[in-house]
Amino acid sequence: MALRLLRERPMHPYEIHQVIRDRAIDYAIKVRAGSLYHTFERLHRLGFVEPVETGREGRRPERTIYAITEAGRDEYLDNLRDLVRYPEEEYPVFAAAAEMIRTLDRDEAERLLEHRTTALEARLAADEQVITSLTKRGLSRMAMLDVELRQSTRRAELAWVRQLISDIRSGALPWTDETEELT
């Protein structure tokens, strides 16, 4: 993401952090301001960014503004093409929980899944507010594809969880702990 934003203009790592927050990119990428400084050190060592200006405002620490290099542009595009072209196996935490849910009491699992549906519905509503706010600020749909993807993924998860609850209640999903069956 740092390379992507530097394609717009040279920036300081903290400024990149602010842009990520202002544009709600932090919904797609988990970033801490402190980690960006290490990222920039690594990108600089690799030749993907270069310092173009160093300055100080008042008593603030010295700030280095970086620009993307030609090698950085190439690296960014190569990585982006791979990310778009090839599906990567992702390991969401809920997938692990789904594998282990059978070890819970059936009623407790059902109750927790109901809580999850409420939480998913709340997050969907919150994301709609983010989309509305960003749209009012002039961001285009293209700038919010990550939020749109997350919304679609959450809707699919919500439908799956609702179906799972229905299957548990109806008995279509027999409630057994397979680890008990194996012993």
Side-chain angles (χ1 to χ4, degrees):
M1 183 52 66
L3 293 176
R4 182 253 183 266
L5 292 173
L6 287 178
R7 289 168 43 102
E8 293 178 15
R9 69 180 186 282
M11 288 188 243
H12 177 269
Y14 185 76
E15 182 181 6
I16 288 206
H17 185 253
Q18 284 302 120
V19 170
I20 287 171
R21 291 181 62 198
D22 291 347
R23 295 184 188 171
I25 297 170
D26 55 344
Y27 275 78
I29 298 172
K30 188 175 181 177
V31 177
R32 288 177 290 161
S35 65
L36 275 173
Y37 292 94
H38 298 294
T39 298
F40 271 82
E41 287 174 14
R42 187 173 53 82
L43 292 172
H44 183 246
R45 273 194 321 273
L46 294 169
F48 299 150
V49 300
E50 61 188 0
V52 292
E53 182 182 328
T54 302
R56 180 186 306 257
E57 288 184 24
R59 294 181 176 205
R60 289 185 159 173
E62 193 172 78
R63 291 188 168 200
T64 303
I65 295 175
Y66 292 90
I68 191 169
T69 63
E70 197 59 40
R73 288 180 194 282
D74 292 344
E75 181 69 14
Y76 165 77
L77 289 172
D78 287 346
N79 282 327
L80 177 59
R81 288 177 180 124
D82 286 347
L83 288 170
V84 172
R85 182 182 309 134
Y86 304 115
E88 278 293 321
E89 202 59 50
E90 297 178 24
Y91 299 94
V93 175
F94 185 54
E99 193 285 326
M100 295 182 282
I101 199 168
R102 66 179 132 221
T103 63
L104 292 173
D105 174 73
R106 179 181 172 272
D107 293 335
E108 181 183 16
E110 197 176 310
R111 188 175 64 256
L112 293 170
L113 289 167
E114 285 289 349
H115 284 288
R116 187 172 191 88
T117 62
T118 301
L120 286 167
E121 289 166 345
R123 288 186 178 183
L124 283 164
D127 279 353
E128 284 302 325
Q129 289 180 341
V130 168
I131 290 169
T132 300
S133 173
L134 293 174
T135 301
K136 284 181 183 175
R137 288 182 20 213
L139 261 67
S140 66
R141 178 180 175 214
M142 183 61 81
M144 295 183 286
L145 291 177
D146 58 322
V147 179
E148 189 177 301
L149 173 62
R150 188 178 51 254
Q151 284 287 81
S152 178
T153 302
R154 282 193 178 138
R155 281 199 260 336
E157 180 182 336
L158 181 58
W160 184 83
V161 171
R162 285 178 175 155
Q163 184 61 53
L164 181 60
I165 292 168
S166 175
D167 290 347
I168 292 169
R169 285 183 179 149
S170 71
L173 179 65
W175 199 259
T176 59
D177 180 353
E178 289 179 7
T179 57
E180 292 173 1
E181 294 173 5
L182 295 174
T183 57

